[in-house]
Amino acid sequence: MPSTSSAVSGSGRPAPSSLWRDADFRRLWMGQTASQLGEHTSLVVLPLFAVLTLHASADQLGVLRAVGQAPILLLSLFVGAWVDRWRARTTMVLTDVGRALALGAAAVAGLLGWLGLPALLALAFAVGTLSVVFDVAYQASVVRLVERDQLVRCNSALEGSRSAAQIGGPALGGASVSLLSAPIAAASCALFFALSFLSIRRIRRIEAIPARSERPPRVRQRVHEGLRFVAGDTVLRTVCLASAAFQFSFAAMMTVYLLFLPRELHLSGAVVGLTLAAAGPGALLGSLLAARLPQRFGHGVVLVSAAALADGVFLWVPALHGSSAVTVAALLTVGFVFGAGGQLVNVTAMAVRQAVTPDGMQGRAAATITFVGMGLTPLGSLLGGFLAEQWGLRTSLLVTAAGMLLSPAVMAVSPLARLGRALPAPRDTPLAAGRREVP
């Protein structure tokens, strides 16, 4: 049934001045916040458990991270074709249940002493798969719940919640593994996904999705339509390439970084979690700036300058030595700057992508960009582990951090850098027509 909120436009979506007064948007926001807390906590819990408890080597850590990221490469395109034909709320609820059960089972296995490296690999793949489905569905749900002129504001609010997750998730994960145990840390992740389930399942607004024909196109055809749509748009194509350059280098850098902090700088698990969490306050600032700066300076200028600042700051990390207060303060600063610039890029790029994409293509466009942008992350993680073994941690960290600057370079030489203050109009496509309401 439709939402009981009275502050909605004629389309059933929240009116521009009433975004936070709309009950369904608040439910989506709360559910996404809890889900992101679970995801960011698990991203720290699994690697730290492997490094600190199982004494995993650099190669093994690279494999663990690659396995968790492999679903992005293997499943994103198919997930996008599926999400465009189903209610995003139902999809998100099911993935929350799956992740809660998987991590709950891992907690029990850990308490029984069965949580070894093979179990961690299986868990990482399962959680990674369900997270891919959730992320694509959540991005599609935004356009189905709010008006297009509210996309930047809506994404700023949702990305702000992700910032909160970046603050709490790594700190909670690091502290749980260091002070308690990996099973307790896994249980906390399961709890967050359960809370997300309880919130999102209460969304009442009927979603508008493309009408289904009696003989719907095959999945392969729908995937091809999404690929062709993104490849045919200069803006979306540039977002894909810039995202791929960043995500590949970032995955390699983070594999080295998670080894560099405890082994080269001799930081404890709790301090590692704290330094990673520093990106959260920065990301919160970036979310707030994203609601204002693109309209003042232009979307292209903001994308290029923020990406250059966020990615370039890691070049200072290899110069650090020891675990002194100065070193920790420097790492906190790096994390804050990276979080602010990175979040500013994320919100702006997502709003641009959603603005140029018709509603009937939202899931596939998001999945295609995820596939191209993040599909190389497993290879990046493997490369990071290989470089750490062959070149040493400090040199590898410098090389992989420098590679992250390819992303702003790609944007700077493309039409994306020339986008002005107004969001571009959506591209015309036959798939944008023919919509129906589904319960």
Side-chain angles (χ1 to χ4, degrees):
M1 60 180 290
S3 171
T4 57
S5 174
S6 60
V8 294
S9 67
S11 64
R13 299 172 180 178
S17 62
S18 61
L19 189 63
W20 283 106
R21 293 200 299 272
D22 181 71
D24 282 337
F25 175 76
R26 293 198 305 271
R27 291 163 184 153
L28 175 65
W29 180 84
M30 289 186 289
Q32 190 255 6
T33 300
S35 177
Q36 290 293 325
L37 273 169
E39 185 172 343
H40 282 284
T41 301
S42 67
L43 288 176
V44 174
V45 167
L46 300 187
L48 282 183
F49 182 73
V51 172
L52 300 177
T53 304
L54 302 180
H55 307 291
S57 66
D59 287 338
Q60 290 174 325
L61 181 61
V63 170
L64 176 64
R65 285 175 50 80
V67 167
Q69 296 157 347
I72 299 171
L73 178 63
L74 298 176
L75 303 174
S76 292
L77 295 177
F78 301 100
V79 169
W82 182 47
V83 165
D84 274 339
R85 295 179 54 77
W86 296 95
R87 289 192 70 187
R89 190 204 72 164
T90 301
T91 305
M92 290 187 288
V93 163
L94 292 176
T95 57
D96 279 334
V97 171
R99 290 185 290 185
L101 291 176
L103 286 160
V108 173
L111 292 173
L112 296 175
W114 298 342
L115 196 62
L117 187 58
L120 279 177
L121 292 172
L123 177 64
F125 185 82
V127 173
T129 296
L130 294 170
S131 294
V132 167
V133 180
F134 182 94
D135 290 343
V136 172
Y138 134 69
Q139 293 181 54
S141 72
V142 171
V143 182
R144 298 176 187 176
L145 283 175
V146 305
E147 299 289 351
R148 285 182 177 272
D149 60 358
Q150 289 296 299
L151 286 177
V152 172
R153 185 181 174 191
C154 177
N155 284 321
S156 177
L158 291 171
E159 290 298 303
S161 72
R162 190 161 72 93
S163 304
Q166 289 177 324
I167 297 172
L172 176 63
S176 297
V177 173
S178 181
L179 303 177
L180 300 174
S181 67
I184 298 300
S188 69
C189 299
L191 176 62
F192 285 126
F193 291 128
L195 293 175
S196 177
F197 159 78
L198 292 174
S199 180
I200 292 176
R201 71 185 294 269
R202 296 178 62 238
I203 294 176
R204 294 292 179 261
R205 184 167 298 120
I206 296 175
E207 297 177 25
I209 65 172
R212 301 177 192 171
S213 61
E214 293 183 1
R215 299 183 63 182
R218 294 182 177 180
V219 172
R220 182 180 298 179
Q221 179 181 342
R222 294 175 61 79
V223 168
H224 178 71
E225 289 171 351
L227 288 168
R228 184 173 59 187
F229 174 78
V230 173
D233 186 270
T234 304
V235 169
L236 296 181
R237 188 168 62 245
T238 302
V239 171
C240 273
L241 294 176
S243 179
F246 167 77
Q247 295 294 348
F248 177 79
S249 300
F250 181 69
M253 189 278 296
M254 277 302 296
T255 299
V256 182
Y257 195 63
L258 289 171
L259 292 165
F260 182 81
L261 296 184
R263 295 185 178 177
E264 192 75 20
L265 299 184
H266 309 292
L267 301 179
S268 67
V271 176
V272 170
L274 178 64
T275 58
L276 294 175
L284 181 59
L285 174 62
S287 296
L288 297 175
L289 294 176
R292 298 173 176 83
L293 294 187
Q295 286 77 24
R296 181 172 182 180
F297 299 105
H299 290 77
V301 171
V302 169
L303 282 170
V304 174
S305 57
L309 176 65
D311 299 345
V313 72
F314 273 100
L315 292 173
W316 295 98
V317 177
L320 299 177
H321 294 270
S323 57
S324 65
V326 174
T327 295
V328 174
L331 290 172
L332 293 174
T333 303
V334 167
F336 182 86
V337 173
F338 174 74
Q343 191 76 321
L344 186 51
V345 173
N346 289 340
V347 174
T348 306
M350 186 179 297
V352 169
R353 190 265 297 165
Q354 291 171 336
V356 302
T357 305
D359 288 357
M361 191 66 72
Q362 287 289 340
R364 279 168 286 176
T368 299
I369 292 176
T370 299
F371 170 77
V372 176
M374 299 189 67
L376 294 177
T377 54
L379 299 178
S381 295
L382 292 174
L383 175 64
F386 174 79
L387 292 179
E389 288 284 357
Q390 300 299 319
W391 293 358
L393 295 177
R394 202 171 294 275
T395 301
S396 300
L397 187 59
L398 179 62
V399 170
T400 53
M404 292 166 60
L405 290 174
L406 289 173
S407 178
V410 168
M411 290 190 287
V413 299
S414 74
L416 186 65
R418 298 192 291 274
L419 287 180
R421 299 176 181 177
L423 286 170
R427 278 186 56 194
D428 292 331
T429 171
L431 296 172
R435 300 168 62 82
R436 73 178 177 92
E437 301 295 318
V438 278

